[in-house]
Amino acid sequence: MGENIFGFVGRDMAVDLGTANTLVYVRGRGIVLNEPSVVAINVKDGHPLAVGAEAKRMIGRTPSNIQAIRPLKDGVIADFEICEMMLRYFIRRVHPRRFSKPRMVICVPSGITGVEKRAVQEAAEYAGARKAYIVEEPMAAAIGAGLPIHEPTGNMVVDIGGGTTEVAVISLGGIVTSQSIRIGGDELDEAIISFVKKEYSLALGDRTAEEIKIALGSACELEEELHAEIRGRDLVSGLPKTIVTSTKDIRRAIEEPLAAIIDAVKITLDKTPPELSADIMTQGIVLTGGGALLHGLDVRLQAETSMPIVVAPDPLNCVALGSGMCLEEFEALQQVLSYSSSSR
């Protein structure tokens, strides 16, 4: 690769390694890369053919010798080698100098095990990072949403990503209580696929289900219900078929995973100390992540919890921005970061 297309300044970078998308923040430059977490490989020799948006376009459309793989599932690494390959590609995209070894901050779900956390660090180090620091997603989301996490007040953040939902109450720079469930946008997509299969005997692909969720997904009743056509394969005849569905149907389809997300919020509120609960009642619960964009979710949560709900100004980028701020204020925010030194 020739000149650095991003005009890279400094070596440090932060990575929001998401189940659906990976965002890279470079110190001094902001978010410079936002690509789907997908790698297309040649099955015969394991050689990567495409990474990111180009690979995502191949999902469900590849011949038998090409496989489009998502290396992360439920917020953790499901395929270590492919994840390392993807990280290496993204590092080279933003930092083409061959011998550069940047310090890296990586966001992980708060509920992952020590082994899973170590796997993320190792993948980053094998991919070319000098040191990999870990920051928990709800903490990064809270920083990115502009919450005063170092103040002695209760801040509650609900980060709904592709693979996980993170609910946390933060005060004095630490997580007081949290809940991490492996339910997120992907579960909503799967619920839509199952519903359409059961109700209409129609097979849908992952990308179509995601498009339906974005267009018709809602968490509460709408003043005017919308309708849209869905194209898929008829499971009876095996031929292409078009059906018409509504926001009411899709709401019914995603109710179960949505109820699990709302329950996680209620459980966290139940575990919150009374003083912090009073703060949250004043400041509200902040929603971040792609799931925060689900139509009517804030209204539904407010009705279920009796708490004010605020959607973050830039919910999709909150985690990446928060981890980036950890880079910009590296020394001041050292307590938020953890590094497990490993001699390899």
Side-chain angles (χ1 to χ4, degrees):
M1 207 179 286
E3 278 295 306
N4 187 338
I5 55 171
F6 296 110
F8 184 82
V9 176
R11 288 187 168 185
D12 299 343
M13 60 202 294
V15 181
D16 172 13
L17 193 61
T19 307
N21 294 287
T22 295
L23 286 81
V24 177
Y25 181 110
V26 169
R27 190 172 191 172
R29 296 291 296 166
I31 296 171
V32 296
L33 185 140
N34 182 352
E35 295 263 359
S37 303
V38 185
V39 180
I41 64 161
N42 187 328
V43 178
K44 290 174 183 172
D45 59 10
H47 186 71
L49 300 173
V51 180
E54 193 183 340
K56 188 180 181 181
R57 285 196 291 272
M58 298 180 183
I59 291 178
R61 295 192 166 105
T62 59
S64 58
N65 66 314
I66 298 171
Q67 193 178 1
I69 298 171
R70 294 176 68 180
L72 290 110
K73 184 165 174 57
D74 300 333
V76 297
I77 296 174
D79 190 318
F80 187 88
E81 282 184 20
I82 301 294
C83 183
E84 184 206 321
M85 210 181 278
M86 182 178 79
L87 267 177
R88 191 183 297 276
Y89 172 81
F90 290 146
I91 290 172
R92 291 286 167 264
R93 276 280 303 277
V94 302
H95 202 337
R97 278 179 288 174
R98 205 169 154 199
F99 299 107
S100 63
K101 292 183 82 67
R103 282 190 302 187
M104 197 182 288
V105 171
I106 300 190
C107 298
V108 297
S110 60
I112 73 169
T113 64
V115 172
E116 289 166 338
K117 196 179 280 190
R118 188 74 209 116
V120 172
Q121 286 182 314
E122 284 187 358
E125 287 167 8
Y126 284 129
R130 177 161 40 112
K131 274 186 184 179
Y133 296 84
I134 296 292
V135 61
E136 293 183 339
E137 275 173 19
M139 184 67 82
I143 296 168
L147 296 180
I149 63 158
H150 292 296
E151 300 291 321
T153 56
N155 303 282
M156 187 167 182
V157 65
V158 179
D159 179 41
I160 307 167
T164 60
T165 293
E166 309 284 322
V167 188
V169 175
I170 298 165
S171 178
L172 287 168
I175 294 175
V176 178
T177 182
S178 67
Q179 191 81 5
S180 177
I181 57 169
R182 297 195 173 185
I183 293 174
D186 288 352
E187 288 284 331
L188 301 183
D189 296 346
E190 284 167 25
I192 291 168
I193 291 170
S194 300
F195 176 83
V196 171
K197 187 177 183 179
K198 189 176 163 189
E199 293 288 316
Y200 301 105
S201 296
L202 194 74
L204 294 181
D206 293 343
R207 286 189 63 193
T208 307
E210 187 183 12
E211 286 162 9
I212 294 165
K213 176 185 69 182
I214 292 165
L216 297 178
S218 62
C220 59
E221 284 187 30
L222 306 177
E223 285 182 20
E224 186 185 345
E225 301 290 348
L226 307 172
H227 293 78
E229 286 187 347
I230 300 177
R231 293 181 181 85
R233 178 169 53 82
D234 192 320
L235 290 169
V236 179
S237 67
L239 299 172
K241 179 182 169 185
T242 302
I243 60 154
V244 176
T245 190
S246 66
T247 42
K248 190 176 180 181
D249 281 344
I250 301 305
R251 192 161 55 248
R252 206 151 46 97
I254 63 174
E255 178 54 35
E256 197 177 321
L258 202 56
I261 290 169
I262 292 165
D263 282 347
V265 176
K266 288 179 177 176
I267 289 166
T268 309
L269 280 170
D270 189 46
K271 290 180 184 171
T272 304
E275 295 290 342
L276 298 182
S277 292
D279 295 336
I280 295 162
M281 181 61 95
T282 307
Q283 294 178 182
I285 298 170
V286 178
L287 300 185
T288 68
L293 300 173
L294 184 70
H295 193 79
L297 180 60
D298 52 345
V299 177
R300 171 86 179 266
L301 268 172
Q302 188 156 348
E304 297 253 4
T305 63
S306 303
M307 289 278 191
I309 308 293
V310 181
V311 178
D314 189 1
L316 285 168
N317 295 331
C318 270
V319 172
L321 289 170
S323 54
M325 287 178 199
C326 290
L327 274 185
E328 302 290 356
E329 304 286 332
F330 201 85
E331 289 71 29
L333 286 166
Q334 197 72 25
Q335 69 213 62
V336 172
L337 306 167
S338 65
Y339 172 65
S340 147
S341 58
S342 66
S343 55
R344 285 195 282 110

